[in-house]
Amino acid sequence: MKHICDITGEGLPEAGYFERLPDGACPVFEAGRIAAAGRAMACGKGTFCRNGLAQLALITEAASMNKAREGDLALLRQLCKNILIASDCAMSEHVAALVAASMDLHEEAWSDHLVRRRCQKGICPGFATNRAAPPQNLVRRRRR
Amino acid sequence: MKATVNGTFIESAPGVSILDAALSAGIYIPHLCAHPDLEPQGGCKLCTVEVRRAGGGGPELRTACNTELEDGMEIATRSAAIDELRTMSIELLLADHPKECTGCRMYLKCEFQALMQYLSATGVRMREIRRRMIGVNADNPLIDREMERCICCGRCIRICKDVRGIGALRYNHSEQETYVGTEGDAPLKETDCRFCGACVEVCPTGALQDRLGIFRDDLPRREALVPCKAECPVHTDIPRYLRYAREGRYSDAVAVIREKIPLPGVLGHVCTAYCEKRCKRSGLDEALAVRNTKRLAVERDTERAWKARERVRPDTGRRVAVVGAGPCGLTAAYYLRKQGHAVTVYEREARPGGMLAYGIPPYRLPAALLEDEITDMLACGIELKTGAEVANAAGLREEGFDAVLVAVGAAQGKRLPIPGADLPGTLTALEFLHAAAEPGGAAAIPGTEPGTKVCVLGGGNVAFDAARTAARRGADVTLLCLEARGEMLADKEEIEDGAAEGVRILPSKTFLAVAEKDGRASGVSVQGIRRFSFGAEGLAVEAIPGTEETLPADVVIFAAGQKCALKEDFGIALNRAGYPDTADDGQTSAPGVFAAGDAVTGTKAVIDAVAEGRKAAEAIDRFLGGDGDITETLVDKEDFPGEIGVLPGFAALKRTEEITECDRCLLCDLRTGIRPVLFCNHYSA
Ligand code: SF4
Ligand code: SF4
């Protein structure tokens, strides 16, 4: 569909980020961070960008906080798919594609967080086995 | 362009969106951020359809609002993918929207609610989001903002910027939240907002609503949206003439007024201005000075272009007699003549005008202006007989008139039922004002000489007319009334001007008797009261013991209301109160004899009399076989562009007596030009 705004998502990790995820980084936590950064960039005009990214951010955050609900994985996939279809802007498409890539490429890690309730990397704050504090946000909010 | 939607053939001009083309063909496509008067935003995705283009290729999902219809397109409005997208759109919107609708004032009128039902969507799968910025700008005049109900469709932002040319609203961002606000979250009064209400009009939810009480809820909504026009008894198109006046098009402004009021200058001086009492701007600061602007427009109308547009229909051969040349009788005569009937007006006084000539003092209504406007009315061919008292209305029918209108007003002043009310030296305000209106007449009334003492009993406009007339002749005037100062019935202006001219005002008094000395009135005995009421038993007062006093007076004037002076021998049946018995169309017990105005309603404002005169003309015209349509167009109606632009400091503009006053108008009528969004049940497919 037609883009309704020209935000590009400058400053977000590039496509392929989850293929080359740095050692020690948690794909769930990273997906959450990217979704939160995208959410903060939304111009507000498109429902799937504004509210879709908000849901991506909240559900991935819940996964990191060990607060995931049954069905969240399917919901996340459906959200990513429809954000891509709605295609409000390059930024929201990019964020949805990155989150989807995280789920596709790191299925095991997502199952850990959502089903087995653990974070192998020990990064996500909702799990007792965590060894270190999560890294500071790598992506800063864009000022408007 | 020719295409099909769900197999049904549709056609449209080039450049029309799929959404507009389908809706025009009666085919419903859900939509929310789209609005017939706005450029599409394409943000909600509810109007997504599947499109196959003529050249082949697989179906593509497209938003129907911002995709143009093309020749040969095959469009489907439903599919699994579309349904999934639409349902999710609603789910996403519901995530930060209140879940119950019944507490919302838009319940059952909300577009969003209708779509939820149409798509059977709920928000349960999504994470609930609690908004934090909903309190911003919630407290402002005229618009109730319940932003927890906002779905960020952007209609308000677009209409404000793209249609009105203002741009007071925008998407704001705070932390992770997007909300509709103003620059720097400034209060609306401090922005360029012109309070036209367009944002409220297009809001599909209960997020933006008019403050309760601004608009009357007993009228059809579109009518109520322009409160001044709705309140005016003849529904003068006030915002339209204010706009013309502001543009210096005084003749056009007067034409608009004259389409409803044949005495515009008179009303510009003495109208009660019901319109101002309901003016929407009074919720912001002060009502527009509508009456004064009318006066200014008439004074500056040197062109009188409307005159050339006045039409008298061909003669019908029917004759109408009008009894009474007051504002009601003259108005009826004027419109009946324009319907083609031969009209004769009988006036018992030497001059036409009724209360305008004999009841309103010349300092309020210049006699020359009244004379000019009556001359204008008579010029369409009305015969006026002055000094002609009619003894029996039904008798006029026998003289060959096909219809008769009794518009004799409420010509008899009332005296209070207190001892001494009939003593020499007492008179009613009407008697006093009538005498004052006669050249040299008032000189015959003791009390009009400088230094004599006059007591006026009453607190309405007529009381002030009498009191100020006496004061201007040098009398020492005291005005006494039952009402407390803040509840007096007279216009604020009258009270202030009266006080400034030396009228002593003693409110909250009950009248005990007119004191007597040497066989004539010598004063008024009064007592202070705490409160009063009128019940089935009549007047009840709570008097304050020990406050009795007698005020000296050479003349006591009763301004305690007026009544109809007709007697049974006038040839029409009267009710117990002495007013003509009339049917819904104004017809009395005598066939073909109608009655209207104060003679039927009791004392009312001049503009009410004009409205009554118009109604009577319509009814009599129908009685005589006409269509009863007295509407006229004295200036072509232009489509006013919706763009109004920025007027710096708009909300802070102060009421003035200048023509620039028109700038303060909120242009309430523009909102009626915004097209409504029709719900799915209005479409056949
Ligand atoms: S306030 Fe109303 S019109 Fe404005 S964005 Fe919100 S829902 Fe839409
Ligand atoms: S603001 Fe203007 S249009 Fe609105 S009620 Fe007042 S005079 Fe009428």
Side-chain angles (χ1 to χ4, degrees):
Chain A
M1 290 191 222
K2 281 183 194 159
H3 283 174
I4 59 171
C5 94
D6 53 13
I7 292 180
T8 56
E10 199 184 321
L12 291 171
E14 292 183 355
Y17 178 69
F18 285 98
E19 283 153 33
R20 301 179 293 276
L21 195 65
D23 264 355
C26 169
V28 175
F29 188 81
E30 289 302 294
R33 219 165 34 79
I34 292 166
R39 179 188 185 189
M41 286 181 184
C43 76
K45 286 195 273 188
T47 302
F48 281 84
C49 174
R50 184 187 65 244
N51 291 12
L53 296 187
Q55 289 299 325
L56 283 189
L58 291 172
I59 298 169
T60 49
E61 187 193 0
S64 282
M65 298 299 293
N66 194 13
K67 286 183 179 163
R69 292 185 206 152
E70 203 184 323
D72 272 355
L73 208 54
L75 181 56
L76 276 176
R77 285 194 185 283
Q78 205 189 347
L79 275 165
C80 290
K81 181 183 92 178
N82 283 315
I83 292 169
L84 283 163
I85 292 173
S87 86
D88 282 327
C89 57
M91 183 276 289
S92 58
E93 287 176 336
H94 184 56
V95 171
L98 283 170
V99 174
S102 169
M103 286 191 285
D104 291 343
L105 297 170
H106 303 277
E107 232 173 298
E108 191 62 22
W110 282 88
S111 289
D112 275 349
H113 286 74
L114 276 80
V115 182
R116 291 184 282 279
R117 302 286 169 170
R118 65 186 182 199
C119 173
Q120 288 281 23
K121 304 289 181 185
I123 285 171
C124 289
F127 301 97
T129 54
N130 286 351
R131 291 183 297 255
Q136 293 292 304
N137 270 6
L138 298 177
V139 184
R140 288 212 311 268
R141 269 199 77 218
R142 215 176 66 174
R143 286 179 67 83
R144 260 170 291 261
Chain B
M1 299 293 132
K2 296 180 167 108
T4 60
V5 178
N6 302 333
T8 302
F9 174 77
I10 66 165
E11 200 170 357
S12 82
V16 174
S17 72
I18 293 175
L19 179 64
D20 288 344
L23 295 177
S24 307
I27 300 170
Y28 181 64
I29 298 175
H31 54 282
L32 191 52
C33 67
H35 185 281
D37 291 313
L38 297 175
E39 285 299 313
Q41 177 157 287
C44 71
K45 307 293 183 250
L46 289 167
C47 67
T48 299
V49 290
E50 244 172 38
V51 174
R52 278 177 203 274
R53 289 200 153 77
E60 303 161 18
L61 290 178
R62 287 279 173 266
T63 31
C65 66
N66 57 7
T67 307
E68 283 180 16
L69 192 79
E70 290 170 18
D71 258 334
M73 269 184 173
E74 289 173 23
I75 298 153
T77 64
R78 297 287 304 270
S79 74
I82 294 171
D83 288 353
E84 183 181 315
L85 197 74
R86 284 181 185 158
T87 304
M88 183 164 271
S89 176
I90 297 279
E91 287 178 310
L92 288 172
L93 293 172
L94 272 171
D96 57 3
H97 188 92
K99 303 295 174 291
E100 55 74 40
C101 292
T102 47
C104 176
R105 266 158 51 198
M106 285 296 283
Y107 181 57
L108 299 180
K109 289 176 278 179
C110 170
E111 288 178 50
F112 184 45
Q113 185 193 9
L115 274 165
M116 274 190 271
Q117 285 162 357
Y118 181 79
L119 297 168
S120 307
T122 62
V124 291
R125 290 196 303 167
M126 300 293 167
R127 291 296 191 282
E128 184 153 337
I129 299 175
R130 286 191 108 188
R131 298 207 190 160
R132 285 170 303 146
M133 303 307 290
I134 51 175
V136 175
N137 241 319
D139 183 23
N140 70 83
L142 303 175
I143 301 171
D144 284 335
R145 287 165 54 94
E146 295 184 12
M147 298 313 277
E148 66 276 21
R149 304 188 192 279
C150 173
I151 52 167
C152 286
C153 68
R155 284 189 189 173
C156 54
I157 298 172
R158 280 175 286 152
I159 198 142
C160 186
K161 182 166 184 289
D162 304 339
V163 178
R164 293 286 180 261
I166 296 172
L169 299 175
R170 47 191 260 163
Y171 285 115
N172 276 350
H173 307 273
S174 162
E175 300 296 319
Q176 299 276 330
E177 193 172 320
T178 299
Y179 62 100
V180 172
T182 58
E183 190 173 351
D185 289 331
L188 279 177
K189 268 177 106 164
E190 291 168 23
T191 68
D192 292 329
C193 177
R194 293 186 62 175
F195 294 94
C196 68
C199 54
V200 180
E201 191 63 25
V202 295
C203 181
T205 69
L208 302 179
Q209 296 166 49
D210 297 298
R211 174 108 345 134
L212 281 175
I214 291 178
F215 301 124
R216 281 173 53 175
D217 50 18
D218 58 339
L219 295 174
R221 189 167 174 281
R222 294 255 135 183
E223 232 172 83
L225 283 176
V226 193
C228 53
K229 183 177 172 186
E231 207 61 18
C232 172
V234 294
H235 307 302
T236 314
D237 196 343
I238 293 164
R240 187 162 154 240
Y241 82 69
L242 293 181
R243 268 199 298 276
Y244 290 153
R246 182 65 189 104
E247 289 167 18
R249 295 165 59 186
Y250 302 117
S251 192
D252 290 342
V254 172
V256 173
I257 304 165
R258 279 188 168 273
E259 285 174 359
K260 295 295 169 107
I261 302 173
L263 294 158
V266 168
L267 270 304
H269 279 79
V270 301
C271 190
T272 317
Y274 294 119
C275 53
E276 293 186 23
K277 296 186 175 74
R278 283 214 73 111
C279 171
K280 190 176 163 192
R281 174 112 197 186
S282 55
L284 187 61
D285 51 5
E286 261 190 288
L288 261 279
V290 177
R291 179 184 57 203
N292 190 56
T293 307
K294 186 187 294 149
R295 182 174 64 74
L296 291 179
V298 173
E299 282 169 8
R300 296 175 190 197
D301 172 22
T302 47
E303 219 180 311
R304 292 165 62 87
W306 43 267
K307 195 88 191 135
R309 298 281 294 260
E310 284 185 334
R311 293 277 173 273
V312 175
R313 291 195 195 179
D315 283 348
T316 60
R318 300 305 194 104
R319 295 177 63 214
V320 183
V322 174
V323 187
C328 174
L330 283 175
T331 301
Y334 175 70
Y335 288 110
L336 284 165
R337 176 67 204 117
K338 289 174 69 139
Q339 296 300 95
H341 310 303
V343 180
T344 306
V345 178
Y346 293 86
E347 170 56 53
R348 68 174 179 175
E349 300 291 348
R351 286 178 287 139
M355 285 298 158
L356 299 174
Y358 291 93
I360 299 181
Y363 63 83
R364 279 222 287 142
L365 176 58
L369 170 74
L370 176 64
E371 201 181 317
D372 285 352
E373 293 203 329
I374 293 178
T375 305
D376 269 336
M377 291 170 82
L378 299 177
C380 66
I382 298 166
E383 185 188 9
L384 171 68
K385 293 187 174 181
T386 52
E389 176 117 35
V390 172
N392 187 301
L396 287 170
R397 289 274 277 137
E398 283 150 29
E399 285 176 33
F401 286 102
D402 298 293
V404 176
L405 174 65
V406 179
V408 293
Q412 190 179 335
K414 292 183 195 166
R415 288 167 189 255
L416 292 171
I418 55 174
D422 291 321
L423 283 170
T426 63
L427 71 171
T428 67
L430 280 196
E431 289 162 345
F432 176 76
L433 290 167
H434 189 285
E438 295 290 9
I445 302 169
T448 56
E449 304 91 17
T452 51
K453 292 189 185 324
V454 175
C455 279
V456 179
L457 312 188
N461 281 338
V462 176
F464 274 89
D465 283 344
R468 291 179 65 190
T469 300
R472 282 163 171 253
R473 287 166 181 259
D476 173 6
V477 183
T478 304
L479 180 145
L480 306 108
C481 62
L482 279 169
E483 294 85 6
R485 179 79 188 230
E487 288 157 15
M488 288 170 66
L489 301 175
D491 294 345
K492 201 169 138 241
E493 255 178 7
E494 286 298 305
I495 299 170
E496 285 167 3
D497 291 352
E501 287 166 9
V503 174
R504 188 159 65 117
I505 300 169
L506 298 181
S508 300
K509 301 281 183 210
T510 185
F511 313 113
L512 306 174
V514 175
E516 181 198 341
K517 192 178 175 201
D518 300 333
R520 56 172 295 118
S522 64
V524 186
S525 299
V526 299
Q527 187 173 12
I529 60 167
R530 286 199 183 87
R531 57 186 70 88
F532 73 95
S533 59
F534 285 99
E537 310 281 293
L539 173 66
V541 297
E542 192 184 321
I544 306 169
T547 56
E548 299 86 346
E549 61 179 319
T550 299
L551 300 159
D554 302 306
V555 172
V556 177
I557 299 175
F558 292 103
Q562 290 133 239
K563 59 182 181 186
C564 178
L566 291 176
K567 300 280 176 288
E568 291 295 346
D569 61 3
F570 197 66
I572 54 176
L574 305 178
N575 62 24
R576 274 174 40 202
Y579 292 87
D581 250 336
T582 53
D584 286 349
D585 66 351
Q587 205 164 171
T588 65
S589 58
V593 178
F594 294 74
D598 287 3
V600 176
T601 60
T603 319
K604 286 187 134 191
V606 179
I607 189 64
D608 291 307
V610 171
E612 282 274 305
R614 288 178 61 95
K615 252 172 53 192
E618 289 166 352
I620 293 171
D621 185 48
R622 274 193 292 268
F623 174 79
L624 296 176
D627 57 11
D629 179 9
I630 60 165
T631 56
E632 58 185 342
T633 305
L634 298 178
V635 55
D636 291 330
K637 202 161 184 175
E638 297 159 17
D639 278 342
F640 186 76
E643 183 172 346
I644 51 180
V646 170
L647 197 62
F650 177 75
L653 293 175
K654 292 273 169 282
R655 183 171 158 126
T656 73
E657 300 292 301
E658 304 298 322
I659 211 78
T660 48
E661 173 68 359
C662 307
D663 281 341
R664 295 177 64 243
C665 179
L666 306 182
L667 307 167
C668 303
D669 60 332
L670 292 190
R671 194 162 157 185
T672 60
I674 298 173
R675 283 175 285 178
V677 173
L678 302 178
F679 286 20
C680 60
N681 54 336
H682 285 88
Y683 296 90
S684 51

